[in-house]
Amino acid sequence: MRVVIAEDLALLRDGLIHILQAFDFEVVGSVDNGPSLLPALLEHRPDVAVVDVRLPPTFTDEGLQAAIAARERIPGLPILVLSQHVEQLYARELLAGGTGAVGYLLKDRVSNVGQFIDAVRRVADGGTVMDPQVVAALLARRPAAGPLDGLTAREREVLGLMAEGRSNAAIAGRLFVTEKAVSKHINGIFTKLGLPPSDDDNRRVMAVLTYLDR
């Protein structure tokens, strides 16, 4: 699996490279500034990009802007944001494409290497992985009215855990219910959000994006 990394801190960048290589990822490019990121993504077209939000020269939102620009040129390009900050506006824009293959983790909350590698793989496979604090920040600006109004409190809770990238088994463990009960709630969510069975669309990803992008 081919990876491009954008991280300005040399020690962290080298650490990410070594960790990914240890798990059989091929790091095809690494950059330490915003202007270099978009050309690297367009040149290498990686299976997944691991991107910091704030990169030189201004240390504002260069990483996210480059990621958004790359997804406009390469629709569905998998992007995992790994940052110390939640940039609500650009995080929403990154999610707006509705295709999944996005993740947003906070650096100081990635508790172990296995968790990070699992997130990279899930994003590369087209999934959506969000840190709970990122989810909370995005939902803080969500209008009251919308397609989620028809969900029960439990369905909202299940969908929130889905947005964090948790499996049915993990959701069941968190809520102290059976996996069968979780599956029932998820099917109810799909029905209420108007997501019929489809061979083309990943309903789980679409439901999560509906949840986050409102």
Side-chain angles (χ1 to χ4, degrees):
M1 193 174 293
R2 302 166 67 253
V3 185
V4 166
I5 296 173
E7 169 59 57
D8 64 294
L9 296 177
L11 287 177
L12 180 54
R13 186 172 63 253
D14 289 345
L16 289 172
I17 291 171
H18 289 307
I19 288 171
L20 289 166
Q21 289 176 337
F23 284 84
D24 297 325
F25 290 87
E26 179 186 2
V27 179
V28 295
S30 63
V31 302
D32 62 0
N33 63 85
S36 298
L37 177 54
L38 179 58
L41 293 174
L42 296 179
E43 175 187 354
H44 296 292
R45 294 178 176 254
D47 297 303
V48 61
V50 179
V51 177
D52 192 3
V53 171
R54 300 185 179 183
L55 295 170
T58 67
F59 293 98
T60 54
D61 50 25
E62 288 93 335
L64 266 180
Q65 289 201 50
I68 291 166
R71 280 173 68 95
E72 291 174 354
R73 302 276 290 276
I74 310 173
L77 175 68
I79 301 289
L80 174 61
V81 175
L82 186 63
S83 179
Q84 292 178 323
H85 313 278
V86 180
E87 297 290 345
Q88 291 184 347
L89 176 62
Y90 288 103
R92 284 181 174 274
E93 191 171 345
L94 185 63
L95 290 163
T99 57
V102 294
Y104 202 129
L105 299 179
L106 298 181
K107 292 178 179 177
D108 60 356
R109 287 170 53 82
V110 178
S111 59
N112 58 62
V113 170
Q115 177 188 6
F116 169 67
I117 293 297
D118 180 61
V120 174
R121 288 180 172 147
R122 279 189 283 168
V123 171
D125 288 340
T128 302
V129 180
M130 307 295 288
D131 187 285
Q133 288 192 4
V134 176
V135 173
L138 293 175
L139 291 179
R141 297 182 59 182
R142 179 168 56 92
L148 303 182
D149 289 353
L151 301 185
T152 66
R154 176 62 91 183
E155 287 169 343
R156 285 174 179 265
E157 194 172 12
V158 169
L159 187 50
L161 293 170
M162 287 168 59
E164 295 173 14
R166 297 177 186 268
S167 65
N168 286 14
I171 294 172
R174 176 71 175 270
L175 300 180
F176 301 102
V177 299
T178 65
E179 286 189 54
K180 184 177 180 179
V182 172
S183 295
K184 182 178 179 180
H185 288 309
I186 291 175
N187 286 331
I189 291 167
F190 291 156
T191 299
K192 292 177 181 179
L193 295 183
L195 299 172
S198 170
D199 293 332
D200 299 323
D201 297 328
N202 185 325
R203 292 193 296 167
R204 195 179 187 96
V205 171
M206 295 300 295
V208 166
L209 293 175
T210 300
Y211 177 75
L212 294 173
D213 197 35
R214 290 296 184 272

